[in-house]
Amino acid sequence: MFKFPKATIPLLLVVALAGAFVIADAQSYPSHYGFGKPATVAQQEAWNDDVNGLTGAGLPPGHGSVAAGQTLYEAKCAVCHGDFGEGENRYPVLAGGNGTLTSARPVKTVGSYWPYAPTLYDYIRRAMPFNAPGSLTNDQVYAIAAYVLNLNNLVPANAVLDAKTLAAIKMPNRNGFINEHLKPDVHAVACMTNCKKSVTITSDLARTLGITPNETGSTPDERIITGSGPAAGPSAAPAGGSAKHVASAPVAFSQIAPIVAQRCAVCHAAHPTEAGFSAAPMGIMLDTPARIAALASKIKQQAVTSHRMPIGNMTGMTDKERALLGKWIDQGAKIH
Amino acid sequence: MNHDEQHNPPKKIGRLGFLAKGATTIAGAALASAVPAAAAGETNPFAPRSPGMDELGETVIAHPYGMPIKYEASVIRRNVPFLTATEESSVSFTPLQDLDGIITPNGLCFVRDHGGTPIIDPAEHRLMIDGLVDRPLVFTMDELKRYPSESHIHFTECPANGGMEWRGAQLQSLQFTHGMVHCCEWTGVKLSVLMKEAGVKPQAKWMLAEGADAAAMTRSIPVWKALDDVMVVWSQNGERLRASNGYPVRLIVPGWQGNVNVKWLRRLKFGEEPWMTREETSKYTDLLADGKARQFAWIIETKSVITSPCPENPMKGKGFTEVTGLAWSGRGKITRVDVSTDGGINWHPAKLQEPVLSKCLTRFRFPWEWHGTSALLQSRAVDETGYVQPTLTQLRAVRGTNAIYNDNAIQTWHVNPDGKVDNVQVS
């Protein structure tokens, strides 16, 4: 078992001749340590969930239809990726974009860019839905992958996918990748003097945009992302008859608090109670009167103007509740 | 005495306040004649005793884990919210403008997560090695740490660093154009040691590294690289990894794109083919002008940037100015950095600060006499393979403007006559 590297042997001999103790094991690193434990078959199987995109190896048994996928997708994915894979806000676009890869604004999607279909299965199973990764069954993943491929016109509406049929799909951009780049593709020369005749500034947008740590950095953010409606206040009162109604029937916060607690705060709290949520989504907390008031315009945008929230209406918010919430916000979102 | 007391407002009375107060009054009298008094409302830095001399300071254990003093509160990571849809799959940038030397303090290392930072109990964590190996193994953290360790200083750069700049100069900030790079001393076991323990089979050509985060991050790495210099590390700059940098254990793949340096490492699986995961097909591939994409362009090519002056560090006045910056290469050591003050017409060699290490940030310095006129500052690095950092024009000629990743172009800072510094691109 134990071997001395050659170089240490004379040294050990000298020490031995000198009559000292031979501390043999202080001299070298062994070639084998054996600190880890054998991984049992059960342990390996429990973690062995990777799918090879190229070959489809690792795709599990099971199957799923486009139709089943549509229902699941609308409940679990559309809120971020859009009903047709068009992507809400800055969430990834999953469908379309064909023919755009050479344009000034390429739209890289599953259909236009991804080279291999099994990769889609692997990714959805390991990482999506973003807010509840690992929550889908194998059959559900087949179904949702089928639906995403259908949104990209890559499988027909009656398709049912399993390990074999998924791996057989030829993605349009299958040959779009050139791989392994260990050698440089650009060869510049370190010229030292008179390297060019003149210099002109070709781009200085940065100065105008002013995105710099010295400012809050939130200015461009707000302009670009939310672009949202007016701040809560009387000026945001809806037009027409309802405006009159608003004036005549003030909504008290005591009417609003239970709605938000029941329909929103199960997810939007420091410690959400809704299964699958370990932290407040996007850090949005609707668990105290002050926080609710401060976020009034966002609440209106998400739950009144649009019905994006509650996600998939998982908490069963009614239209009446939305209207009441809207009214309260229009009246100034007062908490006292 | 009245006017003196105005200039030296009575000190807060601490435990030794009575002593301190007496001293101040006497000192104040002497001061009035000796040194020009500070303007009303300001403290006088020339008081015979500095404020810290009159009271006992904080105890040695006031901060069991030390944090920067309040005056450095602006030295922080920052993000650009509109770049990403969520703050879990997002990035916060290293404030390169505020750092000296080559080591990035742990709390300032940029963070690029794809599903947020998991908080992992090391006692619960396991690392498994399986696939094409003779002996599939599983390690606890304690078992891993029994292996002989090594420490190496390496940079890690997200290949999307500078990704906003392909089409034009967009971000008025060094932190945002270059802050997705950090450089730490990493301690851990060479992966080759663990591969020997598991007995990787000869037909294994690729390794899949998987993270224990919500993205269950997976990347394929060729076995030749894994055997070369890849490390499985648990320490960063002498202390255990920070959660956001992979605690309790991560991969360090020296010189290669940050994303393959998988954080929160839980599995290494050996196989014959690359896995073609989402992160190496949909993402981390460079779309070229002709619609084809470069895949597995792992190596971070030679790059440099001037960290002062920069938009965050404007000019401090005419005359002597030390221009300083950082250079790095995923292929080895930096051998040279040149600086231009006229937008690349003429170049001058900069001084490299020791140590100059392989696949590590290298600090360079260049003495410059600024005459208060408009200038275009650039730096250009060369590495030991002879690779010369290209201009953006050269890079675009080969890659177009849609690549997002792997922008290692020469950066231009426009120094205005008023001393302000802008991010610009030049012909």
Side-chain angles (χ1 to χ4, degrees):
Chain A
M1 196 63 229
F2 207 109
K3 277 198 224 128
F4 294 116
K6 280 203 183 87
T8 62
I9 292 171
L11 179 66
L12 290 171
L13 285 178
V14 172
V15 175
L17 286 174
F21 292 107
V22 180
I23 306 169
D25 55 1
Q27 300 297 317
S28 70
Y29 290 100
S31 63
H32 176 73
Y33 301 88
F35 295 146
K37 295 191 183 61
T40 65
V41 172
Q43 285 169 346
Q44 290 178 65
E45 276 172 1
W47 281 16
N48 196 12
D49 68 345
D50 53 279
V51 171
N52 188 298
L54 201 61
T55 62
L59 281 170
H63 57 83
S65 67
V66 170
Q70 175 167 5
T71 313
L72 288 162
Y73 179 93
E74 282 167 1
K76 293 171 183 285
C77 319
V79 61
C80 294
H81 295 292
D83 283 343
F84 304 100
E86 74 277 17
E88 295 284 344
N89 296 325
R90 291 138 299 140
Y91 286 104
V93 180
L94 300 185
N98 294 315
T100 64
L101 296 186
T102 54
S103 75
R105 295 277 163 191
V107 181
K108 295 190 275 183
T109 72
V110 172
S112 70
Y113 196 60
W114 289 42
Y116 310 111
T119 305
L120 180 63
Y121 187 98
D122 179 75
Y123 183 69
I124 295 174
R125 186 166 64 163
R126 67 178 54 249
M128 289 293 137
F130 190 67
N131 45 3
S135 61
L136 301 173
T137 66
N138 287 344
D139 283 355
Q140 287 177 324
V141 179
Y142 276 120
I144 295 172
Y147 184 62
V148 172
L149 292 166
N150 175 259
L151 285 176
N152 281 288
N153 299 319
L154 294 171
V155 299
N158 61 359
V160 177
L161 292 185
D162 59 15
K164 223 171 131 194
T165 47
L166 181 64
I169 294 169
K170 294 267 176 284
M171 300 292 273
N173 198 36
R174 187 178 176 83
N175 298 319
F177 293 81
I178 329 158
N179 69 35
E180 293 214 31
H181 300 270
L182 302 172
K183 296 206 186 86
D185 59 343
V186 181
H187 306 277
V189 180
C191 164
M192 293 305 282
T193 47
N194 296 319
C195 302
K196 44 192 172 187
K197 287 204 181 67
S198 65
V199 170
T200 50
I201 293 178
T202 54
S203 171
D204 64 353
L205 187 63
R207 182 181 193 151
T208 318
L209 291 178
I211 301 166
T212 172
N214 295 334
E215 294 180 24
T216 61
S218 66
T219 323
D221 177 19
E222 306 220 312
R223 199 175 61 224
I224 293 169
I225 325 170
T226 51
S228 61
S235 63
S242 55
K244 241 191 241 155
H245 186 67
V246 162
S248 61
V251 180
F253 182 65
S254 58
Q255 293 169 269
I256 295 305
I259 298 177
V260 176
Q262 212 185 333
R263 309 298 187 205
C264 317
V266 292
C267 297
H268 290 287
H271 303 287
T273 51
E274 184 74 19
F277 289 84
S278 57
M282 297 179 75
I284 299 228
M285 290 192 263
L286 303 172
D287 51 356
T288 66
R291 284 176 175 156
I292 295 169
L295 288 164
S297 69
K298 279 202 165 190
I299 295 174
K300 184 175 177 193
Q301 175 200 342
Q302 298 292 326
V304 183
T305 317
S306 82
H307 290 195
R308 284 191 71 232
M309 289 294 144
I311 279 203
N313 204 5
M314 284 167 71
T315 47
M317 191 171 195
T318 65
D319 287 348
K320 258 193 179 156
E321 289 169 339
R322 291 185 198 274
L324 202 66
L325 193 59
K327 238 194 249 177
W328 171 73
I329 294 169
D330 292 338
Q331 290 170 355
K334 295 195 184 75
I335 53 178
H336 300 296
Chain B
M1 291 310 288
N2 261 351
H3 69 281
D4 285 326
E5 250 146 35
Q6 255 182 8
H7 302 319
N8 292 294
K11 296 220 155 41
K12 193 182 93 206
I13 300 183
R15 275 201 285 156
L16 299 182
F18 60 99
L19 277 181
K21 208 173 177 201
T24 314
T25 313
I26 299 159
L31 184 75
S33 52
V35 197
E42 285 178 21
T43 55
N44 188 338
F46 299 103
R49 293 180 62 81
S50 299
M53 298 165 83
D54 294 339
E55 277 180 47
L56 286 179
E58 292 181 334
T59 72
V60 295
I61 196 68
H63 309 282
Y65 191 99
M67 295 295 285
I69 195 164
K70 61 183 178 182
Y71 305 111
E72 298 298 323
S74 68
V75 182
I76 50 171
R77 292 185 285 233
R78 292 180 175 86
N79 68 338
V80 181
F82 70 82
L83 288 182
T84 53
T86 78
E87 288 186 351
E88 290 85 16
S89 177
S90 192
V91 60
S92 59
F93 300 81
T94 298
L96 294 176
Q97 69 276 14
D98 296 314
L99 302 183
D100 296 316
I102 59 171
I103 298 291
T104 314
N106 288 340
L108 297 176
C109 288
F110 81 91
V111 178
R112 183 15 174 159
D113 290 347
H114 283 261
T117 293
I119 303 302
I120 297 174
D121 178 350
E124 301 293 316
H125 191 75
R126 299 289 181 276
L127 171 63
M128 193 184 291
I129 301 186
D130 68 346
L132 291 177
V133 296
D134 295 330
R135 294 173 292 279
L137 292 174
V138 57
F139 301 93
T140 63
M141 285 309 300
D142 283 345
E143 286 163 349
L144 259 189
K145 287 183 197 158
R146 287 188 65 187
Y147 282 94
S149 56
E150 294 184 12
S151 298
H152 297 284
I153 306 178
H154 291 299
F155 76 81
T156 310
E157 184 182 20
C158 173
N161 206 13
M164 285 289 283
E165 305 288 297
W166 280 98
R167 295 199 176 94
Q170 300 218 60
L171 299 171
Q172 181 76 334
S173 153
L174 168 67
Q175 182 163 16
F176 297 149
T177 57
H178 288 78
M180 277 196 258
V181 64
H182 58 57
C183 185
C184 298
E185 185 195 38
W186 305 102
T187 300
V189 55
K190 286 284 290 282
L191 177 55
S192 57
V193 172
L194 301 181
M195 288 168 69
K196 212 168 152 200
E197 294 282 279
V200 174
K201 292 187 200 290
Q203 68 267 36
K205 295 283 173 278
W206 290 82
M207 175 182 85
L208 183 75
E210 182 183 43
D213 59 333
M217 177 55 62
T218 43
R219 285 299 306 256
S220 308
I221 296 169
V223 159
W224 65 263
K225 176 68 176 176
L227 284 171
D228 179 17
D229 56 358
V230 175
M231 299 172 73
V232 172
V233 309
W234 47 83
S235 278
Q236 165 183 18
N237 292 331
E239 63 180 356
R240 297 296 179 249
L241 297 175
R242 290 293 168 92
S244 52
N245 293 110
Y247 186 91
V249 60
R250 74 175 296 174
L251 220 50
I252 285 294
V253 185
W256 283 25
Q257 303 187 327
N259 183 249
V260 302
N261 294 245
V262 173
K263 302 192 277 190
W264 317 291
L265 186 67
R266 75 165 200 159
R267 193 158 79 113
L268 296 168
K269 181 178 180 179
F270 288 84
E272 287 175 79
E273 311 236 37
W275 274 259
M276 302 295 181
T277 69
R278 179 254 188 175
E279 311 300 337
E280 53 209 24
T281 51
S282 169
K283 300 290 159 191
Y284 300 102
T285 48
D286 317 346
L287 180 58
L288 306 178
D290 66 0
K292 297 276 187 216
R294 299 169 84 228
Q295 188 185 23
F296 298 138
W298 300 291
I299 300 176
I300 296 288
E301 300 196 302
T302 312
K303 185 164 175 178
S304 69
V305 68
I306 291 170
T307 59
S308 185
C310 68
E312 293 95 329
N313 292 325
M315 299 302 292
K316 305 246 161 32
K318 286 184 202 173
F320 175 79
T321 301
E322 187 175 69
V323 174
T324 179
L326 295 165
W328 59 99
S329 162
R331 289 201 166 82
K333 288 183 185 176
I334 292 296
T335 50
R336 195 169 115 205
V337 177
D338 301 314
V339 168
S340 172
T341 59
D342 58 12
I345 297 176
N346 298 294
W347 294 86
H348 317 277
K351 228 174 29 190
L352 301 189
Q353 167 77 62
E354 293 291 335
V356 177
L357 303 170
S358 182
K359 305 171 189 178
C360 180
L361 294 189
T362 296
R363 174 69 59 182
F364 64 86
R365 305 179 194 283
F366 175 74
W368 181 40
E369 189 69 22
W370 184 50
H371 301 295
T373 51
S374 189
L376 292 167
L377 285 182
Q378 298 182 328
S379 65
R380 178 185 68 193
V382 182
D383 75 3
E384 61 183 336
T385 70
Y387 180 100
V388 179
Q389 184 183 5
T391 62
L392 191 57
T393 311
Q394 288 167 328
L395 212 52
R396 281 185 187 143
V398 177
R399 309 229 189 111
T401 55
N402 289 335
I404 300 176
Y405 304 103
N406 290 325
D407 172 4
N408 67 324
I410 290 171
Q411 170 68 43
T412 310
W413 299 132
H414 178 206
V415 176
N416 294 278
D418 66 2
K420 289 210 187 77
V421 178
D422 295 326
N423 171 18
V424 299
Q425 294 177 355
V426 297
S427 59

